[in-house]
Amino acid sequence: MPPGLDRLDHETIVGWLREADPAVLERLWARADAVRAAHVGDAVHLRGLIEISNHCIRHCLYCGIRACSDGVTRYRMTAAEILECAREAKRLGYGTVVMQSGEDPGLTREFIADRVRAIKAETGLAITLSLGERSDEDLKAWKGAGADRFLLRFETSDPGLYHRIHPSLPGTLSDRVAQLQRMRAMGYEIGSGVMVGIPGQTWEILARDIELFRDLDIDMIGIGPFLPSPRTPLGGEAAERLRASADEQVPNNEEATLKVVALTRLVCPEANLPSTTALATIDPATGRELGLVRGANIVMPNVTPPAYRVLYEIYPGKACIHETAEACQGCLERRIRSIGRTVGSGPGGRRRSGPAAVTSSLLPTSARGRGDPRPGRH
Ligand code: 5AD
Ligand code: FES
Protein backbone atom coordinates (compact mmCIF):
# COMPACT_ATOMS: atom_id res chain seq x y z
CA MET A 1 0.00 0.00 0.00
CA PRO A 2 1.41 3.44 -0.84
CA PRO A 3 2.33 5.59 2.16
CA GLY A 4 -0.23 8.11 3.44
CA LEU A 5 0.12 11.85 3.89
CA ASP A 6 -2.06 12.45 6.88
CA ARG A 7 0.14 11.21 9.69
CA LEU A 8 3.82 11.53 9.07
CA ASP A 9 5.21 9.23 11.71
CA HIS A 10 8.60 7.54 11.37
CA GLU A 11 7.33 4.53 9.39
CA THR A 12 5.41 6.71 6.97
CA ILE A 13 8.41 8.98 6.36
CA VAL A 14 10.58 5.92 5.67
CA GLY A 15 7.85 4.61 3.36
CA TRP A 16 7.89 7.85 1.36
CA LEU A 17 11.67 7.92 1.20
CA ARG A 18 11.70 4.38 -0.22
CA GLU A 19 8.86 5.07 -2.66
CA ALA A 20 9.99 4.66 -6.26
CA ASP A 21 6.71 4.83 -8.22
CA PRO A 22 6.56 8.19 -10.04
CA ALA A 23 2.75 8.22 -10.00
CA VAL A 24 2.68 7.78 -6.23
CA LEU A 25 5.42 10.38 -5.74
CA GLU A 26 3.26 12.90 -7.63
CA ARG A 27 1.03 13.00 -4.55
CA LEU A 28 3.98 13.89 -2.34
CA TRP A 29 5.18 16.63 -4.72
CA ALA A 30 1.70 18.13 -4.99
CA ARG A 31 1.12 18.15 -1.26
CA ALA A 32 4.53 19.67 -0.51
CA ASP A 33 3.85 22.46 -3.01
CA ALA A 34 0.38 23.12 -1.55
CA VAL A 35 1.75 23.26 2.00
CA ARG A 36 4.53 25.59 0.86
CA ALA A 37 1.98 27.92 -0.79
CA ALA A 38 -0.34 27.88 2.23
CA HIS A 39 2.34 28.56 4.85
CA VAL A 40 5.09 30.63 3.26
CA GLY A 41 3.38 31.86 0.09
CA ASP A 42 4.56 32.32 -3.47
CA ALA A 43 7.36 34.80 -2.81
CA VAL A 44 10.86 33.35 -3.17
CA HIS A 45 13.24 35.21 -0.87
CA LEU A 46 16.79 35.80 -2.04
CA ARG A 47 19.74 35.76 0.34
CA GLY A 48 23.04 37.12 -0.93
CA LEU A 49 25.82 34.68 -0.06
CA ILE A 50 29.29 36.07 0.72
CA GLU A 51 31.97 33.39 1.07
CA ILE A 52 34.24 35.46 3.27
CA SER A 53 37.05 32.96 3.92
CA ASN A 54 38.00 29.46 2.74
CA HIS A 55 40.46 28.86 5.59
CA CYS A 56 39.38 25.90 7.72
CA ILE A 57 40.86 24.07 10.69
CA ARG A 58 38.52 21.04 10.42
CA HIS A 59 38.95 17.77 8.54
CA CYS A 60 35.40 16.90 7.45
CA LEU A 61 35.81 13.88 5.21
CA TYR A 62 33.44 15.27 2.56
CA CYS A 63 34.57 18.86 2.17
CA GLY A 64 36.93 20.15 -0.53
CA ILE A 65 38.24 23.02 1.60
CA ARG A 66 39.09 20.86 4.65
CA ALA A 67 42.27 21.87 6.48
CA CYS A 68 44.53 19.34 4.81
CA SER A 69 43.19 19.67 1.24
CA ASP A 70 46.20 20.15 -1.02
CA GLY A 71 46.14 22.64 -3.80
CA VAL A 72 43.59 24.99 -2.27
CA THR A 73 44.65 28.64 -2.46
CA ARG A 74 43.40 30.15 0.76
CA TYR A 75 41.86 33.62 1.04
CA ARG A 76 40.20 35.77 3.64
CA MET A 77 38.25 38.80 2.41
CA THR A 78 39.06 42.22 3.81
CA ALA A 79 36.59 44.37 5.72
CA ALA A 80 36.20 46.65 2.71
CA GLU A 81 35.60 43.73 0.33
CA ILE A 82 32.93 42.23 2.58
CA LEU A 83 31.12 45.56 2.89
CA GLU A 84 31.22 45.99 -0.88
CA CYS A 85 29.56 42.58 -1.33
CA ALA A 86 26.85 43.55 1.15
CA ARG A 87 26.26 46.76 -0.82
CA GLU A 88 25.97 44.67 -3.96
CA ALA A 89 23.37 42.45 -2.28
CA LYS A 90 21.44 45.54 -1.27
CA ARG A 91 21.65 46.98 -4.82
CA LEU A 92 20.36 43.70 -6.23
CA GLY A 93 17.34 43.92 -3.94
CA TYR A 94 18.15 41.06 -1.55
CA GLY A 95 16.79 41.26 2.00
CA THR A 96 19.54 39.26 3.68
CA VAL A 97 23.27 38.69 3.46
CA VAL A 98 24.81 35.43 4.56
CA MET A 99 28.45 35.53 5.63
CA GLN A 100 29.82 32.01 5.22
CA SER A 101 33.29 30.55 5.74
CA GLY A 102 35.25 27.50 6.69
CA GLU A 103 35.91 27.16 10.40
CA ASP A 104 38.45 29.95 10.54
CA PRO A 105 39.82 31.24 13.86
CA GLY A 106 41.47 34.00 11.79
CA LEU A 107 37.97 35.45 11.61
CA THR A 108 38.11 36.80 15.13
CA ARG A 109 35.21 37.68 17.38
CA GLU A 110 35.96 41.39 16.94
CA PHE A 111 36.42 41.22 13.19
CA ILE A 112 33.03 39.57 12.62
CA ALA A 113 31.25 41.78 15.18
CA ASP A 114 32.63 44.85 13.39
CA ARG A 115 31.49 43.54 9.98
CA VAL A 116 28.01 42.85 11.34
CA ARG A 117 27.74 46.36 12.79
CA ALA A 118 29.04 48.01 9.63
CA ILE A 119 26.70 46.08 7.31
CA LYS A 120 23.69 46.70 9.55
CA ALA A 121 24.43 50.38 9.90
CA GLU A 122 24.86 50.95 6.19
CA THR A 123 22.41 48.54 4.56
CA GLY A 124 19.92 47.54 7.24
CA LEU A 125 19.91 44.02 5.74
CA ALA A 126 19.13 40.96 7.82
CA ILE A 127 22.42 39.22 8.63
CA THR A 128 22.96 35.49 8.68
CA LEU A 129 26.24 33.96 9.82
CA SER A 130 27.48 30.54 8.78
CA LEU A 131 30.93 30.25 10.31
CA GLY A 132 30.96 26.74 11.76
CA GLU A 133 31.36 25.63 15.37
CA ARG A 134 32.20 28.68 17.46
CA SER A 135 32.32 29.51 21.17
CA ASP A 136 29.30 30.87 23.02
CA GLU A 137 31.27 34.05 23.67
CA ASP A 138 31.73 34.60 19.94
CA LEU A 139 28.10 33.78 19.19
CA LYS A 140 26.79 36.14 21.88
CA ALA A 141 29.06 38.97 20.73
CA TRP A 142 27.81 38.60 17.16
CA LYS A 143 24.18 38.51 18.27
CA GLY A 144 24.83 41.65 20.32
CA ALA A 145 26.38 43.30 17.26
CA GLY A 146 23.15 42.72 15.32
CA ALA A 147 23.38 39.27 13.66
CA ASP A 148 19.92 37.80 13.14
CA ARG A 149 20.47 34.18 12.14
CA PHE A 150 23.07 31.42 12.15
CA LEU A 151 23.31 28.44 9.82
CA LEU A 152 24.97 25.24 11.02
CA ARG A 153 24.04 22.02 9.27
CA PHE A 154 24.07 18.98 11.54
CA GLU A 155 24.76 16.99 8.32
CA THR A 156 23.31 13.75 9.71
CA SER A 157 21.37 12.95 12.89
CA ASP A 158 23.17 9.62 13.26
CA PRO A 159 25.92 10.07 15.87
CA GLY A 160 28.03 7.18 14.54
CA LEU A 161 27.95 8.40 10.95
CA TYR A 162 28.44 12.01 12.05
CA HIS A 163 31.61 11.30 13.96
CA ARG A 164 32.98 9.12 11.14
CA ILE A 165 32.69 11.93 8.60
CA HIS A 166 33.26 14.88 10.93
CA PRO A 167 36.23 14.37 13.26
CA SER A 168 36.13 16.41 16.47
CA LEU A 169 38.92 18.78 17.36
CA PRO A 170 41.30 17.38 19.98
CA GLY A 171 39.84 17.71 23.48
CA THR A 172 36.27 18.61 22.46
CA LEU A 173 33.37 16.53 21.20
CA SER A 174 31.66 18.15 18.25
CA ASP A 175 27.98 18.69 19.10
CA ARG A 176 26.26 20.81 16.49
CA VAL A 177 22.78 20.07 17.82
CA ALA A 178 23.77 21.49 21.20
CA GLN A 179 25.18 24.61 19.51
CA LEU A 180 21.92 25.05 17.59
CA GLN A 181 19.96 24.89 20.83
CA ARG A 182 22.25 27.37 22.55
CA MET A 183 21.97 29.76 19.62
CA ARG A 184 18.20 29.53 19.74
CA ALA A 185 18.36 30.49 23.44
CA MET A 186 20.58 33.46 22.54
CA GLY A 187 17.85 34.74 20.22
CA TYR A 188 19.15 33.64 16.84
CA GLU A 189 16.89 32.24 14.17
CA ILE A 190 18.57 28.89 13.58
CA GLY A 191 19.30 27.18 10.31
CA SER A 192 20.49 23.65 9.78
CA GLY A 193 20.42 20.93 7.17
CA VAL A 194 21.81 17.68 5.86
CA MET A 195 23.42 16.11 2.83
CA VAL A 196 21.53 13.35 1.05
CA GLY A 197 23.43 10.24 -0.02
CA ILE A 198 26.36 10.48 2.39
CA PRO A 199 28.26 7.16 2.16
CA GLY A 200 26.86 5.04 5.00
CA GLN A 201 23.50 6.89 5.16
CA THR A 202 20.33 4.76 5.17
CA TRP A 203 16.66 5.72 4.66
CA GLU A 204 16.08 5.14 8.37
CA ILE A 205 18.79 7.68 9.24
CA LEU A 206 17.39 10.18 6.76
CA ALA A 207 13.90 9.81 8.24
CA ARG A 208 15.35 10.61 11.66
CA ASP A 209 17.08 13.68 10.17
CA ILE A 210 13.67 14.96 9.05
CA GLU A 211 12.20 14.22 12.47
CA LEU A 212 15.07 16.11 14.09
CA PHE A 213 14.29 19.21 11.98
CA ARG A 214 10.79 19.04 13.38
CA ASP A 215 11.82 18.33 16.95
CA LEU A 216 14.33 21.21 17.02
CA ASP A 217 11.81 23.47 15.25
CA ILE A 218 14.54 24.62 12.85
CA ASP A 219 13.77 27.93 11.11
CA MET A 220 15.81 27.37 7.92
CA ILE A 221 16.67 23.99 6.46
CA GLY A 222 19.20 23.44 3.66
CA ILE A 223 19.09 20.07 1.92
CA GLY A 224 21.45 19.08 -0.88
CA PRO A 225 22.89 15.94 -2.41
CA PHE A 226 26.31 14.76 -1.22
CA LEU A 227 28.74 15.41 -4.09
CA PRO A 228 32.05 13.54 -3.87
CA SER A 229 35.13 15.73 -4.07
CA PRO A 230 38.23 13.93 -5.35
CA ARG A 231 40.28 16.05 -2.94
CA THR A 232 38.64 14.32 0.03
CA PRO A 233 38.50 10.86 1.63
CA LEU A 234 34.81 10.53 0.73
CA GLY A 235 35.75 11.11 -2.90
CA GLY A 236 37.79 7.91 -2.74
CA GLU A 237 38.07 4.52 -1.11
CA ALA A 238 36.77 5.50 2.33
CA ALA A 239 33.42 6.15 0.67
CA GLU A 240 33.31 2.62 -0.73
CA ARG A 241 33.94 1.12 2.71
CA LEU A 242 31.23 3.26 4.29
CA ARG A 243 28.74 2.48 1.51
CA ALA A 244 29.37 -1.22 1.91
CA SER A 245 28.65 -0.91 5.64
CA ALA A 246 25.13 0.48 5.06
CA ASP A 247 22.42 -2.14 4.45
CA GLU A 248 20.48 0.26 2.30
CA GLN A 249 22.66 3.07 0.98
CA VAL A 250 20.71 6.24 0.08
CA PRO A 251 21.64 7.39 -3.45
CA ASN A 252 23.06 10.92 -3.75
CA ASN A 253 20.70 11.81 -6.58
CA GLU A 254 18.12 14.42 -7.37
CA GLU A 255 15.03 12.35 -6.62
CA ALA A 256 16.25 11.34 -3.16
CA THR A 257 17.09 15.00 -2.40
CA LEU A 258 13.68 16.21 -3.57
CA LYS A 259 11.92 13.62 -1.43
CA VAL A 260 13.74 14.97 1.62
CA VAL A 261 12.85 18.57 0.65
CA ALA A 262 9.17 17.68 0.16
CA LEU A 263 8.88 15.68 3.39
CA THR A 264 10.67 18.42 5.32
CA ARG A 265 8.13 20.95 4.04
CA LEU A 266 5.33 18.69 5.30
CA VAL A 267 6.75 18.25 8.79
CA CYS A 268 8.06 21.85 9.08
CA PRO A 269 5.40 23.80 7.16
CA GLU A 270 6.58 27.27 8.23
CA ALA A 271 10.31 26.79 7.79
CA ASN A 272 12.37 28.57 5.16
CA LEU A 273 13.78 25.98 2.77
CA PRO A 274 16.38 26.93 0.17
CA SER A 275 16.59 25.26 -3.18
CA THR A 276 20.30 24.59 -2.81
CA THR A 277 23.32 25.14 -5.04
CA ALA A 278 24.15 21.44 -4.71
CA LEU A 279 20.75 20.59 -6.21
CA ALA A 280 21.43 23.04 -9.06
CA THR A 281 24.82 21.38 -9.50
CA ILE A 282 23.46 17.87 -10.09
CA ASP A 283 20.73 19.21 -12.38
CA PRO A 284 21.82 22.53 -13.89
CA ALA A 285 18.81 22.67 -16.21
CA THR A 286 15.98 22.33 -13.71
CA GLY A 287 17.32 21.53 -10.22
CA ARG A 288 16.58 24.97 -8.75
CA GLU A 289 13.04 25.00 -10.15
CA LEU A 290 12.26 21.46 -9.02
CA GLY A 291 13.35 22.34 -5.50
CA LEU A 292 11.07 25.37 -5.55
CA VAL A 293 8.01 23.45 -6.78
CA ARG A 294 8.52 20.57 -4.33
CA GLY A 295 8.71 22.51 -1.09
CA ALA A 296 11.46 25.15 -1.20
CA ASN A 297 10.89 28.92 -0.95
CA ILE A 298 14.38 30.45 -0.76
CA VAL A 299 17.37 30.83 -3.07
CA MET A 300 20.83 31.98 -2.04
CA PRO A 301 22.50 33.74 -4.96
CA ASN A 302 26.23 34.11 -4.61
CA VAL A 303 27.55 37.67 -4.36
CA THR A 304 31.18 36.67 -3.69
CA PRO A 305 33.61 38.24 -6.18
CA PRO A 306 34.34 35.62 -8.90
CA ALA A 307 38.08 35.58 -8.10
CA TYR A 308 37.28 34.24 -4.59
CA ARG A 309 34.27 32.17 -5.59
CA VAL A 310 36.38 29.75 -7.63
CA LEU A 311 38.47 29.08 -4.52
CA TYR A 312 35.45 28.11 -2.42
CA GLU A 313 35.16 24.71 -4.06
CA ILE A 314 33.62 22.45 -1.44
CA TYR A 315 32.68 20.03 -4.22
CA PRO A 316 33.54 19.99 -7.93
CA GLY A 317 31.39 21.57 -10.61
CA LYS A 318 29.61 23.89 -8.17
CA ALA A 319 26.82 25.70 -10.00
CA CYS A 320 27.40 29.38 -10.86
CA ILE A 321 31.03 29.29 -9.79
CA HIS A 322 32.10 31.42 -12.77
CA GLU A 323 29.17 33.81 -12.75
CA THR A 324 29.01 37.39 -11.56
CA ALA A 325 26.47 38.50 -8.96
CA GLU A 326 24.42 40.28 -11.64
CA ALA A 327 24.37 37.20 -13.87
CA CYS A 328 23.12 35.02 -11.03
CA GLN A 329 20.50 37.54 -10.10
CA GLY A 330 19.10 37.77 -13.63
CA CYS A 331 19.19 34.03 -14.10
CA LEU A 332 17.49 33.28 -10.80
CA GLU A 333 14.77 35.89 -11.24
CA ARG A 334 13.97 34.42 -14.66
CA ARG A 335 13.82 30.93 -13.21
CA ILE A 336 11.56 32.07 -10.37
CA ARG A 337 9.16 33.82 -12.74
CA SER A 338 9.16 30.88 -15.14
CA ILE A 339 7.42 28.77 -12.51
CA GLY A 340 4.85 31.45 -11.72
CA ARG A 341 6.42 32.63 -8.48
CA THR A 342 7.44 36.09 -7.35
CA VAL A 343 10.68 37.49 -5.94
CA GLY A 344 10.22 38.34 -2.26
CA SER A 345 11.14 41.67 -0.73
CA GLY A 346 12.18 42.41 2.84
CA PRO A 347 14.16 40.21 5.19
CA GLY A 348 12.01 37.09 4.69
CA GLY A 349 12.58 35.74 8.19
CA ARG A 350 10.75 32.84 9.78
CA ARG A 351 7.04 33.51 9.98
CA ARG A 352 5.08 32.02 12.81
CA SER A 353 1.45 31.92 11.88
CA GLY A 354 -1.63 29.99 12.86
CA PRO A 355 -2.20 26.66 11.15
CA ALA A 356 -3.66 26.73 7.65
CA ALA A 357 -6.35 24.22 6.80
CA VAL A 358 -4.25 22.40 4.29
CA THR A 359 -1.82 21.02 6.82
CA SER A 360 -3.71 20.75 10.03
CA SER A 361 -4.34 17.09 9.44
CA LEU A 362 -0.80 16.46 8.25
CA LEU A 363 1.03 17.22 11.41
CA PRO A 364 1.61 14.46 13.87
CA THR A 365 1.13 15.33 17.51
CA SER A 366 3.09 18.53 17.82
CA ALA A 367 6.78 18.12 18.35
CA ARG A 368 6.99 21.25 20.42
CA GLY A 369 7.27 21.10 24.15
CA ARG A 370 8.44 17.52 24.43
CA GLY A 371 11.48 17.55 26.75
CA ASP A 372 14.66 16.70 24.88
CA PRO A 373 13.44 14.89 21.81
CA ARG A 374 16.75 14.11 20.20
CA PRO A 375 17.26 10.57 19.04
CA GLY A 376 20.97 10.90 19.59
CA ARG A 377 23.39 13.68 20.29
CA HIS A 378 26.51 14.27 18.32
N1 5AD B 1 28.81 17.66 -1.21
C1 5AD B 1 27.67 18.30 -0.92
N2 5AD B 1 27.55 19.22 0.06
C2 5AD B 1 28.66 19.50 0.76
N3 5AD B 1 28.85 20.33 1.78
C3 5AD B 1 30.15 20.25 2.16
N4 5AD B 1 30.79 19.38 1.38
C4 5AD B 1 29.89 18.89 0.50
C5 5AD B 1 29.95 17.93 -0.54
N5 5AD B 1 31.07 17.29 -0.85
C6 5AD B 1 27.77 21.07 2.41
C7 5AD B 1 27.70 20.73 3.90
C8 5AD B 1 28.04 22.05 4.55
C9 5AD B 1 27.59 23.03 3.51
C10 5AD B 1 28.17 24.40 3.66
O1 5AD B 1 27.97 22.45 2.31
O2 5AD B 1 26.38 20.32 4.23
O3 5AD B 1 27.37 22.23 5.78
FE1 FES C 1 23.84 31.71 -10.99
FE2 FES C 1 22.02 30.87 -12.78
S1 FES C 1 21.83 31.07 -10.67
S2 FES C 1 23.97 31.75 -13.15
Side-chain angles (χ1 to χ4, degrees):
M1 207 180 68
L5 282 163
D6 287 335
R7 231 192 88 77
L8 286 172
D9 57 14
H10 178 76
E11 294 314 319
T12 314
I13 294 173
V14 174
W16 275 113
L17 290 172
R18 289 207 176 105
E19 184 59 57
D21 181 342
V24 176
L25 284 170
E26 280 305 325
R27 291 176 45 227
L28 175 63
W29 310 141
R31 183 69 78 104
D33 199 40
V35 170
R36 186 271 311 152
H39 285 266
V40 292
D42 283 342
V44 176
H45 287 279
L46 303 179
R47 326 274 202 216
L49 178 66
I50 316 175
E51 292 159 335
I52 61 174
S53 159
N54 71 350
H55 287 265
C56 192
I57 56 166
R58 305 299 289 254
H59 293 82
C60 304
L61 271 64
Y62 46 86
C63 183
I65 60 167
R66 63 205 295 264
C68 51
S69 256
D70 289 332
V72 180
T73 304
R74 305 284 172 173
Y75 71 89
R76 194 177 288 128
M77 287 171 64
T78 65
E81 288 171 328
I82 295 171
L83 187 58
E84 194 43 51
C85 290
R87 290 184 181 129
E88 175 82 344
K90 175 89 176 173
R91 270 197 297 275
L92 294 172
Y94 305 157
T96 300
V97 280
V98 182
M99 281 191 266
Q100 187 164 76
S101 70
E103 213 162 291
D104 178 10
L107 295 172
T108 62
R109 184 181 307 164
E110 294 68 33
F111 180 81
I112 295 296
D114 288 345
R115 305 291 66 74
V116 169
R117 275 189 287 266
I119 293 173
K120 262 285 183 236
E122 186 174 323
T123 67
L125 294 173
I127 299 179
T128 302
L129 301 177
S130 179
L131 308 173
E133 293 166 52
R134 301 288 305 222
S135 73
D136 284 4
E137 291 70 30
D138 290 349
L139 297 167
K140 283 181 192 152
W142 300 336
K143 187 81 194 62
D148 301 281
R149 316 177 184 136
F150 200 104
L151 304 179
L152 184 69
R153 291 192 181 179
F154 59 73
E155 315 292 1
T156 171
S157 62
D158 186 83
L161 181 58
Y162 179 76
H163 288 296
R164 253 176 286 148
I165 65 170
H166 188 93
S168 292
L169 289 173
T172 55
L173 189 66
S174 166
D175 189 342
R176 290 188 166 192
V177 172
Q179 181 175 326
L180 285 164
Q181 291 180 314
R182 290 197 305 273
M183 292 190 297
R184 155 71 41 80
M186 292 174 200
Y188 281 100
E189 266 190 39
I190 53 171
S192 196
V194 297
M195 290 178 288
V196 175
I198 304 168
Q201 187 183 50
T202 63
W203 295 120
E204 288 283 339
I205 292 176
L206 211 38
R208 286 197 295 273
D209 294 349
I210 295 169
E211 291 160 7
L212 188 56
F213 295 145
R214 175 179 64 200
D215 293 346
L216 294 170
D217 190 23
I218 303 283
D219 302 304
M220 298 161 288
I221 305 166
I223 297 157
F226 161 71
L227 296 166
S229 164
R231 290 205 287 246
T232 66
L234 289 189
E237 273 172 30
E240 288 316 313
R241 277 197 302 280
L242 274 171
R243 272 190 203 103
S245 72
D247 359 310
E248 225 192 345
Q249 172 64 49
V250 170
N252 58 335
N253 63 21
E254 183 172 37
E255 181 173 281
T257 305
L258 290 167
K259 284 183 203 171
V260 182
V261 171
L263 288 163
T264 300
R265 171 57 66 200
L266 298 188
V267 304
C268 303
E270 296 176 340
N272 282 320
L273 266 63
S275 184
T276 56
T277 303
L279 191 54
T281 300
I282 48 170
D283 175 5
T286 57
R288 290 270 191 210
E289 290 86 334
L290 282 174
L292 291 171
V293 299
R294 294 180 179 178
N297 68 318
I298 300 282
V299 178
M300 294 169 62
N302 205 323
V303 294
T304 313
Y308 292 133
R309 225 187 252 223
V310 294
L311 304 177
Y312 205 88
E313 207 195 49
I314 51 186
Y315 48 77
K318 206 171 144 204
C320 309
I321 201 154
H322 299 296
E323 306 299 332
T324 61
E326 293 83 10
C328 278
Q329 194 233 13
C331 168
L332 288 172
E333 290 209 13
R334 252 190 329 277
R335 288 172 188 264
I336 290 166
R337 285 200 218 94
S338 78
I339 53 169
R341 304 272 280 280
T342 56
V343 175
S345 58
R350 162 80 181 265
R351 280 201 251 168
R352 291 180 184 274
S353 53
V358 67
T359 53
S360 52
S361 65
L362 284 174
L363 295 170
T365 45
S366 170
R368 304 230 181 117
R370 277 191 233 150
D372 182 348
R374 284 176 282 167
R377 299 175 58 136
H378 297 141

